[in-house]
Amino acid sequence: MQTHEIRRRFIEHFTKNGHTEVPSASLLLDDPNLLFVNAGMVPFKPYFLGAQTPPFDTAVSIQKCVRTLDIDEVGITTRHNTFFQMAGNFSFGDYFKEGAITNAWSLLTDSVDDGGFGIDPDRLWVTVYLTDDEAADIWRDKVGIPAERIQRRGMADNYWSMGVPGPCGPCSEIFYDRGPEYGAPGGPEADEDRYIEIWNLVFMENERGEGSGKDSFEILGPLPKKNIDTGMGIERVAFLLQGVENVYETDLLRPVIETAEKLTGAVYGRTHEDDVRFRVIADHTRTGYMLIADGVTPGNEGRGYILRRLLRRIVRSARLLGAEGETMAEFMAVVRDSIGPSFPETVDMFDRIAKVAVAEETAFLKTLESGTALFERTAESTKSAGRKMLSGSEAFTLHDTHGFPLDLTLEMAAEAGLEVDEAGFRELMAEQKARAKADSKSKKHAHADLSVYRPFLDLGDTRFLGYDELTGEGEVVGLVRDGEAVNEVAEGDSVEIILDRTPFYAEAGGQLGDRGLITTDSGARVEVGDVQKIGKRLWVHRATVTSGGLELGQSAAAEVNPLWRKGANQAHSGTHMVHAALRQILGDDAVQAGSLNRPGYLRFDFSSTDAVPSDVLAQIEELTNSAIDADHEVNTIETSLKKAKNMGAMALFGENYGDEVRVVEIGGPFSIELCGGTHVSSSAQIGPVVFLGESSVGSGVRRVEAYVGMDAFRHQARERAVLSGLATALKAPADQVQDRVDSLSDRLKNAEKEINSLRSAQLAANAGQLVDKAERVGELLLVSETVPEGTSAGDLRQLAQDLKGRLGSEPGVVFLTAKDGDKVPFVLGVTKAAQDTGLKAGDLVKAIAEPLGGRGGGKPDMAQGAGTNPDGIGAATSRLRSALQG
């Protein structure tokens, strides 16, 4: 049974039983605790927590997931994938344990003709939580599984959570017995290679707190409702129903392995080491493909680092198998063809996906080349020292500084007749990981405690009036001060105010929250400085009470600052125009990677591996302003998500859209996006958009910044004033200022060269006088001088060489310093005769560097350095005299 058929049967089984089909969310969701969606229930988390009311009582989905904690296990075991499809059915206060168990059993064991998977019931075992008698009884009495095939396990195995604060509960897992040829008898407790877990039924009824591990966390209390969350691994079921040995040999991944065989010349199935590499290529290519499709680009931290590591492991594995050139484009094309029927939207993105992956491969191949050269030097020095082993620190330097994988180091060391201190390497890696983990933990956002807002959520959603009105009357339904709900607040308090209705826009989609006032008939005046959403349902006005007091239940007038909103509308609509212009000029690969807009300013991040040339940026700016000048009507349409996508509306990565969405259309096909923000009514109201520049904000991500409206006008006015001032000062027309400045710059450079030449000549002319002033220190002559300010380090060195030559056969030392602002370049030279007495410039320079506030070094005849303490020249000279006398 092909993977796409398994997906289809799962969805049909549950939709026939009344479940609402929910499409997969992006791998990137706005959750501070997760890099990627790692479980099928993650998109439904607000429903389980009670932060949002689900629009359905039961649901079914096949969610794309990524887990990278076990990345080093990929290819070694038969069941680890970094990317996988989690099929799940969900109940939000509807059915509970019995419904979940019987639904799962019927799909697994019903015949293929009846829409099931046709699995032999005698091959299935189940586990339940230690104290869960209810689940065990259902399995035995309702389903009919013999008691000996029901095993009870502890919290680490049968109590589910996401590993972070959130929903949790006991679970029941279903295992498939592959047979005695795969391991020992005795059920999952005995051997989880023979008994493969295929479905986990979570009876979600509690909320967990902070803690580490799978069984070391606090249970905070019950969830608002008892819920069901199940997860069936599509890949695991596929490899069992397709009769292959592991998840890497299914219909979706085996084609990648076959392509790797063609490109490398190696054969799958001959050696365990090579098989692991083939599996790594297959698994990581698919994961990389899906991550890039959802907007991730390679980088050095967070999501970007995970993607970079995956792509580089593909390159490394292909090289170890024998590949000599680039392979990434072909691997990605195979994944496109195999996974396209399940995720057709990625097929249209393929050009961008391949471009990002190939760029990373090209960069890493250069890294491997430089790392190979360093390895060869390290190996040669190891042999020259009579050693047989590369140290752990040498292997670690290759890995950490040059990105050189350990297994390549091991292979090349063996070819060179050397060993590698793997234990030392792994110890250094462990120390690095510990530091990284501690750093990550210190920076990681804590899980937001939403419990204080729960009573307000239960009262219903905030009604947003701001699309049509800037003022409105509302009731104060919630007050939060210092993290606690209160009944009243007084003058001077910083408070969060929740109204049942509000015209204030809450920050979302890159648009900052509104500013304004909340007032009451009793004289209260509250200045609103920010507005945020809780659970996408509750508007929280963060404000300061400047006079009077506020109580629960009061009526209040809310008024948005009209200038703030006007500017915000201009910036947000301007962002849409910039996005559309970027895509027209750069192509559809310029995918949005983030944005921010506030009154008068916008910034827009987009995916690109290359900087945008200035002339191209000028084209984008002109196209943006031409579209604005065309005075296009701005239309907003509320429709279904499916119809919006059919209209060509673009959705943002990481956003979890509901069934009903809001489409903002500007100029027909010019710009059409899913957006919940506020906008101008026609494009001409945006005013001018003036680009400030384009820059990099990370690997594969570029940023455009711009002023909008009156801020753009003021910026241009300032620029015009500067140009006018320059034109007046240079006595040239404005259009000739650039040429005049270039001419003056060239003349200045030539004058500086001439001055330096004259300075060098003057120094050379004074060299004889300096030698005449040399003082005798013991048997040595010492020439010490602070030369005129502005003398470069190069001139100092040339003068020192000249003075050494003038000292002839005399044993002598030359010490020259210069003042260059707060810096002190210095040079110390030692004649041949002085070197014969044992003096070395490199040693002497260390004695004089400290008083100068710097450091230096060099060879026996000449050393130099720089300091930051001009007042220490006298002390440095005294130290030198003492050293020479010694």
Side-chain angles (χ1 to χ4, degrees):
M1 187 178 294
Q2 297 296 293
T3 302
H4 306 304
E5 176 66 11
I6 294 170
R7 287 171 49 96
R8 187 188 67 79
R9 286 173 179 260
F10 188 93
I11 294 293
E12 283 193 0
H13 176 77
F14 285 99
T15 54
K16 286 178 180 178
N17 284 286
H19 292 64
T20 300
E21 181 181 355
V22 179
S24 174
S26 166
L27 286 166
L28 319 179
L29 289 185
D30 186 16
D31 189 319
N33 293 302
L34 297 173
L35 278 177
F36 306 113
V37 170
N38 62 357
M41 58 72 60
V42 171
F44 302 105
K45 184 176 168 184
Y47 305 151
F48 290 126
L49 283 171
Q52 294 184 32
T53 301
F56 31 67
D57 294 328
T58 60
V60 59
S61 74
I62 298 180
Q63 173 64 40
K64 49 190 178 182
C65 303
V66 167
R67 291 181 192 168
T68 56
L69 291 177
D70 298 324
I71 190 171
D72 294 323
E73 297 297 317
V74 169
I76 298 174
T77 72
T78 60
R79 58 185 184 275
H80 281 100
N81 283 134
T82 50
F83 172 87
F84 56 94
Q85 302 171 73
M86 187 58 74
N89 57 289
F90 306 90
S91 166
F92 308 101
D94 192 76
Y95 61 82
F96 199 46
K97 292 182 182 179
E98 183 173 341
I101 290 171
T102 55
N103 266 317
W105 184 258
S106 62
L107 176 59
L108 292 175
T109 61
D110 281 355
S111 70
V112 173
D113 290 342
D114 290 335
F117 294 145
I119 294 177
D120 181 357
D122 293 337
R123 283 185 173 266
L124 298 178
W125 290 60
V126 297
T127 62
V128 297
Y129 184 52
L130 282 174
T131 59
D132 195 350
D133 295 333
E134 181 184 359
D137 291 345
I138 294 169
W139 280 118
R140 187 185 63 246
D141 301 335
K142 298 287 186 179
V143 173
I145 289 186
E148 60 269 19
R149 296 214 310 269
I150 303 172
Q151 296 183 331
R152 295 178 184 256
R153 305 180 80 174
M155 200 168 190
D157 294 302
N158 275 75
Y159 200 95
W160 187 90
S161 78
M162 290 189 299
V164 294
C168 64
C171 64
S172 179
E173 298 175 331
I174 305 174
F175 291 79
Y176 179 89
D177 179 6
R178 302 173 72 196
E181 63 271 30
Y182 291 99
E189 286 186 340
D191 191 334
E192 287 199 19
D193 281 328
R194 171 175 171 173
Y195 300 89
I196 297 291
E197 178 199 341
I198 56 175
W199 206 333
N200 188 9
L201 315 178
V202 180
F203 312 129
M204 196 176 292
E205 52 188 338
N206 295 314
E207 182 178 358
R208 68 160 279 179
E210 297 285 352
S212 59
K214 295 183 177 180
D215 54 2
S216 300
F217 52 82
E218 180 185 4
I219 304 297
L220 300 179
L223 293 171
K225 295 179 179 179
K226 290 184 177 182
N227 309 298
I228 287 296
D229 155 35
T230 85
M232 186 196 83
I234 291 288
E235 283 76 10
R236 293 194 184 183
V237 173
F239 100 75
L240 294 173
L241 294 184
Q242 291 173 21
V244 294
E245 289 298 306
N246 53 63
V247 293
Y248 311 102
E249 298 176 11
T250 62
D251 58 316
L252 294 191
L253 293 183
R254 184 59 193 249
V256 184
I257 292 177
E258 292 170 354
T259 300
E261 287 181 307
K262 180 187 72 174
L263 294 175
T264 65
V267 178
Y268 183 71
R270 286 188 177 173
T271 69
H272 175 70
E273 291 78 8
D274 279 357
D275 286 354
V276 170
R277 291 162 187 157
F278 277 116
R279 294 166 187 165
V280 165
I281 291 171
D283 173 88
H284 289 6
T285 302
R286 182 173 64 170
T287 305
Y289 177 96
M290 297 302 292
L291 288 178
I292 298 171
D294 270 9
V296 184
T297 54
N300 292 324
E301 59 183 27
R303 293 164 174 157
Y305 173 74
I306 295 296
L307 175 59
R308 169 161 286 167
R309 187 180 178 199
L310 293 170
L311 296 178
R312 291 190 169 193
R313 279 169 64 90
I314 297 168
V315 177
R316 175 198 67 192
S317 298
R319 183 185 177 96
L320 290 173
L321 287 171
E324 295 181 355
E326 295 183 350
T327 59
M328 193 68 72
E330 289 197 54
F331 289 153
M332 289 292 170
V334 175
V335 171
R336 173 200 61 198
D337 295 341
S338 65
I339 210 166
S342 292
F343 299 97
E345 69 278 6
T346 67
V347 176
D348 296 333
M349 306 173 184
F350 179 72
D351 288 344
R352 176 177 61 84
I353 294 170
K355 183 178 179 181
V356 171
V358 169
E360 184 64 22
E361 177 184 34
T362 302
F364 186 49
L365 285 173
K366 292 179 181 178
T367 295
L368 288 178
E369 185 177 342
S370 63
T372 299
L374 177 61
F375 171 84
E376 290 172 351
R377 293 195 297 271
T378 303
E380 184 61 34
S381 63
T382 300
K383 290 180 179 179
S384 299
R387 294 187 287 124
K388 295 284 188 180
M389 179 179 287
L390 265 65
S391 69
S393 62
E394 289 169 327
F396 182 76
T397 299
L398 280 164
H399 170 84
D400 192 52
T401 305
H402 297 272
F404 213 61
L406 177 62
D407 46 10
L408 263 184
T409 302
L410 290 169
E411 180 183 7
M412 295 175 66
E415 291 172 355
L418 296 171
E419 297 179 351
V420 179
D421 179 10
E422 290 188 64
F425 171 85
R426 298 190 189 286
E427 184 177 342
L428 291 169
M429 281 294 294
E431 291 175 3
Q432 185 192 60
K433 286 182 179 180
R435 290 193 299 270
K437 187 175 182 180
D439 182 59
S440 175
K441 187 174 182 181
S442 69
K443 295 178 181 178
K444 193 171 186 179
H445 295 293
H447 177 72
D449 180 8
L450 305 181
S451 58
V452 68
Y453 303 104
R454 284 236 179 96
F456 313 130
L457 286 164
D458 292 340
L459 295 175
D461 299 356
T462 303
R463 182 181 170 192
F464 178 55
L465 311 172
Y467 288 135
D468 305 310
E469 304 289 342
L470 293 183
T471 60
E473 293 285 333
E475 180 185 343
V476 179
V477 296
L479 294 170
V480 177
R481 182 181 58 206
D482 298 329
E484 294 184 0
V486 295
N487 293 324
E488 59 184 13
V489 291
E491 184 175 331
D493 284 346
S494 294
V495 61
E496 293 182 343
I497 302 171
I498 301 158
L499 304 174
D500 63 343
R501 300 152 40 96
T502 181
F504 282 82
Y505 182 79
E507 181 175 342
Q511 180 178 338
L512 297 186
D514 280 331
R515 310 291 187 266
L517 290 174
I518 295 176
T519 57
T520 66
D521 291 340
S522 60
R525 180 183 174 88
V526 184
E527 294 184 0
V528 178
D530 186 22
V531 187
Q532 295 291 325
K533 288 183 187 178
I534 301 296
K536 298 187 178 182
R537 295 173 47 203
L538 206 64
W539 269 237
V540 176
H541 305 73
R542 294 177 176 171
T544 301
V545 183
T546 57
S547 64
L550 207 58
E551 297 180 356
L552 279 181
Q554 272 189 297
S555 292
E559 180 182 354
V560 176
N561 182 322
L563 291 178
W564 174 277
R565 175 64 76 80
K566 178 185 177 182
N569 290 349
Q570 289 175 311
H572 199 159
S573 298
T575 302
H576 283 225
M577 304 302 273
V578 170
H579 186 190
L582 272 164
R583 290 172 66 87
Q584 278 200 32
I585 301 294
L586 300 181
D588 291 343
D589 288 350
V591 177
Q592 181 171 349
S595 67
L596 181 142
N597 42 80
R598 63 171 185 262
Y601 169 86
L602 69 84
R603 73 172 189 231
F604 187 83
D605 298 344
F606 59 98
S607 299
S608 177
T609 55
D610 304 312
V612 180
S614 58
D615 59 329
V616 176
L617 195 65
Q619 292 179 43
I620 297 168
E621 182 182 44
E622 182 174 352
L623 179 57
T624 299
N625 283 288
S626 294
I628 290 170
D629 186 57
D631 199 18
H632 294 304
E633 186 176 353
V634 178
N635 298 307
T636 57
I637 306 160
E638 293 189 359
T639 184
S640 69
L641 180 60
K642 184 176 181 180
K643 288 182 179 178
K645 289 183 176 179
N646 289 338
M647 292 167 59
M650 285 183 291
L652 297 182
F653 292 120
E655 281 293 324
N656 187 12
Y657 296 99
D659 288 335
E660 290 295 315
V661 294
R662 188 168 183 266
V663 177
V664 176
E665 178 193 67
I666 307 177
F670 183 79
S671 172
I672 180 166
E673 298 187 34
L674 299 181
C675 180
T678 63
H679 290 271
V680 298
S681 57
S682 68
S683 63
Q685 294 176 2
I686 297 171
V689 172
V690 176
F691 283 13
L692 303 179
E694 184 265 2
S695 60
S696 171
V697 289
S699 177
V701 179
R702 310 294 300 182
R703 171 174 292 171
V704 170
E705 296 179 88
Y707 284 132
V708 185
M710 284 302 297
D711 284 77
F713 169 78
R714 294 185 188 102
H715 173 74
Q716 289 177 316
R718 289 192 298 270
E719 297 278 294
R720 189 167 58 249
V722 170
L723 180 61
S724 177
L726 283 171
T728 300
L730 296 172
K731 298 179 180 179
D735 60 354
Q736 295 180 17
V737 165
Q738 182 66 55
D739 292 339
R740 186 65 61 87
V741 169
D742 290 342
S743 175
L744 287 174
S745 178
D746 290 340
R747 289 169 59 187
L748 179 60
K749 289 176 183 177
N750 291 332
E752 287 175 344
K753 288 180 182 178
E754 187 174 348
I755 290 170
N756 288 335
S757 179
L758 290 171
R759 183 183 292 121
S760 297
Q762 184 179 9
L763 289 172
N766 293 335
Q769 297 177 21
L770 295 178
V771 171
D772 292 339
K773 294 195 305 180
E775 62 177 298
R776 188 163 292 279
V777 181
E779 299 297 323
L780 299 163
L781 285 176
L782 171 62
V783 179
S784 63
E785 185 71 19
T786 298
V787 301
E789 187 169 350
T791 303
S792 68
D795 287 340
L796 276 183
R797 188 178 182 90
Q798 185 175 342
L799 178 59
Q801 290 283 22
D802 187 8
L803 291 171
K804 282 173 57 184
R806 290 173 184 269
L807 289 174
S809 60
E810 286 276 3
V813 175
V814 177
F815 176 45
L816 302 178
T817 56
K819 294 181 180 179
D820 184 10
D822 293 332
K823 294 182 179 179
V824 189
F826 55 85
V827 172
L828 195 146
V830 178
T831 66
K832 181 65 170 63
Q835 291 177 59
D836 292 340
T837 69
L839 287 178
K840 295 180 180 178
D843 293 337
L844 290 173
V845 78
K846 296 174 183 175
I848 63 171
E850 184 180 349
L852 295 172
R855 59 173 60 186
K859 298 179 179 179
D861 65 322
M862 186 76 73
Q864 65 187 51
T868 57
N869 180 25
D871 296 334
I873 293 176
T877 307
S878 297
R879 280 201 180 190
L880 178 59
R881 288 195 189 97
S882 298
L884 296 180
Q885 288 170 346

